Structures are given as structure tokens and as C-alpha cells.
Amino acid sequence: MVDMLEKVNGLHFGLTDEQLMLQKMARDFTAREIIPVAAEYDEHAKFPRDIFEKLREIGLVNMNIPEEYGGLGASLLDECIVAEELGYGCTGISTSASTNGLGDLPIVIAGSDAQKQYWLGERLVDKGELVSYCVTEPAAGSNVVGMETRAEKRNGSYLINGTKTFITNASYANFFTVFAKTDAAAGHRGISAFVVDRNTPGITISKKFDKLGQRASDTAQITFENVEVPAENLLGKEGQGFLIAMKVFDYSRPAVGAAAVGLLRRAMDESIKYAKERETFGVKIYHHQAVGHKIAQMAMDYEAARLMVWQSAWIVEAGRPDARLSAAAKAFAADRAMAAAIEAVQVFGGYGYMKEYPVEKLMRDVKIFQIYEGTSEILRNIVVRELFK
Ligand SMILES: Cc1cc2nc3c(=O)[nH]c(=O)nc-3n(C[C@H](O)[C@H](O)[C@H](O)COP(=O)(O)OP(=O)(O)OC[C@H]3O[C@@H](n4cnc5c(N)ncnc54)[C@H](O)[C@@H]3O)c2cc1C
């Protein structure tokens, strides 16, 4: 495959042998462990702890932890390759697993050596714990700077008060990366990032949400009431939280986009399979141009979205993280995956609306890609901001 794709007009589109092996491993895992159970986990909103453990055993959780802390030290492109394969099977399950790689990013990006040794090495690699990423609040989602959670310095520790909502894996996480204001008057320069152990007194999981899609993933609200966090749990310096959160997005958006690409590919594959079987007016339905064109559009979108996602991941690895490319890739992948899932249901006709076929779940699961990790509107705002800078 690498040979076939190599060197098109001086650009290299091939994956390395290691990446092809990684892709195959994730694809086989998805076929064996995720696709057969996805509908059941969705129906019962069952948290996929067992699948998480199996993914951890083969190294597909927290792939971004550097080797010196016991991790795989995988590239962001490697992560995207895996995210696409797992997303193909079930984005509820893949979100549950990939959230550990989101929650650890503030530590990977801004943690001291000692913080990395402990939280990444001991807690995540050795103990296999879960971590959630906590930015969003009931009154502040897109507007991160509007957050109201406070971290007040008191005698060598910080007292955290506030509520974080829509937090993935919160009911199961062993610790949290939390953003809070240490200086309420300083705007984005007043936000700081902390690691907070779940067992700290004052933490309550105050609400567990019932969702339209990605039902295997857990989404809950966390209340922090006079939660005392040691000063050594501050990531970076006071006031650097906003910068850390923005850097996290450069890394996390390509991987989230990749999961949407996986869902898009699934919508396309299911549509092709069905359109080859179903006959109306004496022909297989793909012979009706209206149906064929829908699937052609999915195929075009798949290639374009995957290229954008891979490019945005590659440029991060090249040491030039680009907020515009990360935002554009995630928004494009999410929007095209959304369109593909809707059209897949249409290709299936009435059967597409029924739970006995997989496309109705795709249509429910896909919507969140236009909302979390930056809504499609906010991501366009970023593209505009960068273009007119
Ligand atoms: C299932 C799920 C899992 C999540 N997981 C996490 C998680 O693990 N950690 C975490 O911190 N957060 C998480 N989130 C939160 C998610 O990132 C936010 O929901 C998202 O950022 C949008 O914020 P909001 O819901 O407050 O919407 P709002 O910010 O209130 O936006 C409402 C609408 O207004 C639009 N809008 C707002 N401002 C603008 C603007 N300036 N220009 C144009 N349009 C605008 C938005 O695009 C949207 O359509 C999750 C959310 C869900 C639903």
C-alpha cells in the first residue's frame, strides 16, 4: 500500500509499516470486540470498562504518553489512525477510551517531570486509571473565559469551588484535569490548570446525563465544594490555563475529527452494502442515480476529511501546531460525517429508521461531533480569526 501511494507529485501519502500494523491491529480489534457489542452498549448506556481494559492491554489507550513515562510515545497521526478505526465500530465506545488521551493532555503539555512521573506514569500507565478533562460549565461552554469555577490560594494549597458539566467519563474517572480562575479580574490570563484527585473531599458527581447518542460514553456533572488541592497540582504557572487549554485543542481536535471520519466511513460502507442488496423497480438501488450520488458524496467526503485530519495531525508533529488546520479539520470531518449519517439512513429507506440496522445509531452518535471539542460555529470563528489575523 505504501508503494502504491508513495510520492504523488512530491507529497508522501503513505503510512509507514508500523502505522499500517497499528491500523490493522485497531481494525481487527474493532471488528472482533466493538462492532458485535456496540448496539447493546448503546441500548443500555453501558460504560465499556471491559473494552477499555482490552484496549489498554494492547496499548491503544493514552497513546500520547511519552516513552520515558512508560507510554507508547505515539505520534498524533498514529492516534488519528487508531481513532478512525475505533470510531468505525462505535463512537460511544471510542470516545470513552479516547477521553483518557484528552484528560492527560494538560499534563503532557504543561506538567513538570515529577507531575508526569506520578500522574502519567504511576496513575495512568501503571494503575490503568481514568482521567476526565474538565473545562465546560453550565453557563460557560463555548465561552471558556466565562468560566466561574474559582481556585483560591490558601496556605500552600488551592481551594476549588464551582461546577463542571458535560464531563466525559466523570462518573468513573480517578482524577480530573480542571480549569479554574485564580484571578477573576484577569480575563483569559486569570485561568489556571490543576490535577485533582477524585478522592479529595468536596467532590460530588452531581448529575449523570441521558443522551441522544454515544450512549456508551459516560457524561456527568461535577461539583467542587471547598476542594483543597495541593499547590504542587498546579500545571504550569498560575494564569497559564487558557494557553494550555488552547494547546490541548490543537492536539485533541485532529483525533476527534478522526473518529468522525471513522463514523463517516462506516456510513459509506453500510450504504454500499445495502445498496448492493436492495432492489426497487427491478434493479439494485445503487443503479438509481439519486442513490448512487449520495454514496459517491460520502466517498468524496471521506477522502477529503481524512486528508484534512491527517494533515492537521502531521503539522502538530512537525512542531508547528496550527489552530486553523486543527479547527478546520475537525469541523469539516464532523459536518461531513453528519451529512453522511443522514444520507445513509435515507439510502436504507424505512429500514434506516429501525434499530435492527446500524445506521440509525450512526445518525444519533454523529451529532455530538458538531458540538464537543468546539462547536462547528466556534471552529469556523477560529478559521475566520486566523485568516484575518
Ligand atoms: C456528550 C458531551 C460530552 C462532552 N465532554 C466534555 C468533556 O469531557 N469536557 C469538557 O470540558 N466539556 C465537554 N463537553 C462540553 C462541550 O465541549 C460543550 O457542550 C461545547 O463546547 C458547547 O458549549 P455549550 O454546550 O455551553 O453551548 P453554548 O456555548 O451555549 O452554545 C450554544 C450555541 O450557540 C453557538 N455559539 C455560541 N457562541 C457562539 C459564537 N461566538 N459564535 C457563533 N456561535 C456561537 C454554539 O455554536 C451553539 O450552537 C461535552 C459535551 C457533550 C454534549
Side-chain angles (χ1 to χ4, degrees):
M1 182 172 171
V2 177
D3 291 343
M4 272 181 354
L5 293 172
E6 227 167 18
K7 303 278 181 197
V8 183
N9 293 330
L11 291 176
H12 190 299
F13 286 105
L15 300 179
T16 64
D17 288 346
E18 290 75 23
Q19 285 168 332
L20 288 170
M21 273 167 53
L22 192 64
Q23 186 180 50
K24 183 174 180 328
M25 182 167 77
R27 191 169 289 183
D28 291 347
F29 183 92
T30 299
R32 199 177 58 243
E33 305 283 350
I34 299 182
I35 292 177
V37 299
E40 181 202 334
Y41 281 66
D42 170 67
E43 189 183 346
H44 302 293
K46 184 173 159 188
F47 187 69
R49 183 79 204 212
D50 50 344
I51 299 175
F52 178 93
E53 285 306 328
K54 288 178 187 169
L55 281 167
R56 197 172 95 77
E57 275 165 29
I58 59 170
L60 300 187
V61 171
N62 290 114
M63 293 172 64
N64 57 11
I65 294 182
E67 284 176 89
E68 58 203 287
Y69 303 106
L72 209 61
S75 72
L76 184 53
L77 182 53
D78 295 341
E79 281 192 73
C80 288
I81 291 165
V82 170
E84 178 182 329
E85 296 309 322
L86 303 184
Y88 184 91
C90 173
T91 52
I93 292 172
S94 73
T95 293
S96 303
S98 64
T99 290
N100 249 43
L102 167 67
D104 75 9
L105 270 174
I107 308 169
V108 172
I109 288 170
S112 65
D113 183 53
Q115 287 170 331
K116 288 178 182 174
Q117 290 283 3
Y118 180 65
W119 297 104
L120 303 180
E122 285 185 38
R123 301 287 296 260
L124 293 179
V125 176
D126 295 345
K127 294 192 173 158
E129 291 188 346
L130 271 75
V131 53
S132 286
Y133 181 73
C134 309
V135 174
T136 306
E137 301 186 357
S142 303
N143 181 16
V144 173
V145 180
M147 70 171 60
E148 289 169 0
T149 298
R150 300 275 181 268
E152 203 185 319
K153 200 161 191 181
R154 286 231 192 121
N155 312 325
S157 59
Y158 288 90
L159 218 52
I160 299 188
N161 280 286
T163 300
K164 297 290 177 183
T165 200
F166 302 152
I167 305 303
T168 304
N169 289 0
S171 310
Y172 301 90
N174 303 92
F175 63 96
F176 310 100
T177 41
V178 180
F179 293 76
K181 280 195 173 158
T182 38
D183 182 351
H188 71 275
R189 290 195 179 84
I191 297 173
S192 303
F194 300 88
V195 194
V196 182
D197 196 300
R198 189 208 181 83
N199 291 327
T200 321
I203 293 178
T204 318
I205 303 303
S206 45
K207 187 174 180 183
K208 203 172 152 91
F209 294 92
D210 194 8
K211 304 195 293 296
L212 170 73
Q214 298 202 352
R215 292 171 53 77
S217 72
D218 170 73
T219 314
Q221 184 157 297
I222 313 175
T223 306
F224 298 88
E225 211 178 331
N226 292 326
V227 173
E228 194 175 345
V229 175
E232 67 198 37
N233 289 20
L234 174 71
L235 292 168
K237 295 193 175 114
E238 264 191 34
Q240 288 183 340
F242 186 76
L243 200 68
I244 295 169
M246 294 305 114
K247 280 190 184 166
V248 166
F249 282 138
D250 292 341
Y251 281 81
S252 61
R253 284 178 178 149
V256 173
V261 169
L263 188 152
L264 199 171
R265 194 178 95 217
R266 180 73 181 278
M268 176 177 74
D269 283 358
E270 294 294 343
S271 299
I272 292 171
K273 198 167 125 208
Y274 189 76
K276 278 186 190 165
E277 287 165 5
R278 181 72 173 173
E279 284 187 14
T280 68
F281 301 94
V283 293
K284 306 289 184 195
I285 59 169
Y286 72 89
H287 288 294
H288 302 304
Q289 198 178 58
V291 175
H293 279 190
K294 288 187 200 309
I295 301 172
Q297 186 66 48
M298 292 177 202
M300 287 151 58
D301 287 343
Y302 170 63
E303 297 297 341
R306 192 173 67 161
L307 279 176
M308 285 179 76
V309 162
W310 283 8
Q311 183 199 27
S312 68
W314 171 83
I315 205 154
V316 169
E317 287 305 321
R320 290 179 282 134
D322 187 310
R324 175 170 67 92
L325 291 182
S326 286
K330 190 269 185 177
F332 187 80
D335 291 353
R336 298 324 301 160
M338 183 79 231
I342 290 172
E343 291 293 52
V345 171
Q346 195 67 18
V347 168
F348 275 67
Y351 291 106
Y353 205 67
M354 304 303 161
K355 283 192 184 284
E356 60 191 292
Y357 286 91
V359 290
E360 70 85 29
K361 175 175 177 300
L362 296 182
M363 191 171 149
R364 286 186 290 105
D365 285 348
V366 73
K367 184 60 198 166
I368 190 60
F369 284 109
Q370 293 182 310
I371 299 171
Y372 63 16
E373 290 289 304
T375 65
S376 288
E377 293 78 19
I378 291 297
L379 298 182
R380 280 174 173 75
N381 289 354
I382 293 168
V383 174
V384 172
R385 184 193 72 201
E386 295 295 311
L387 287 175
F388 289 86
K389 212 147 92 170

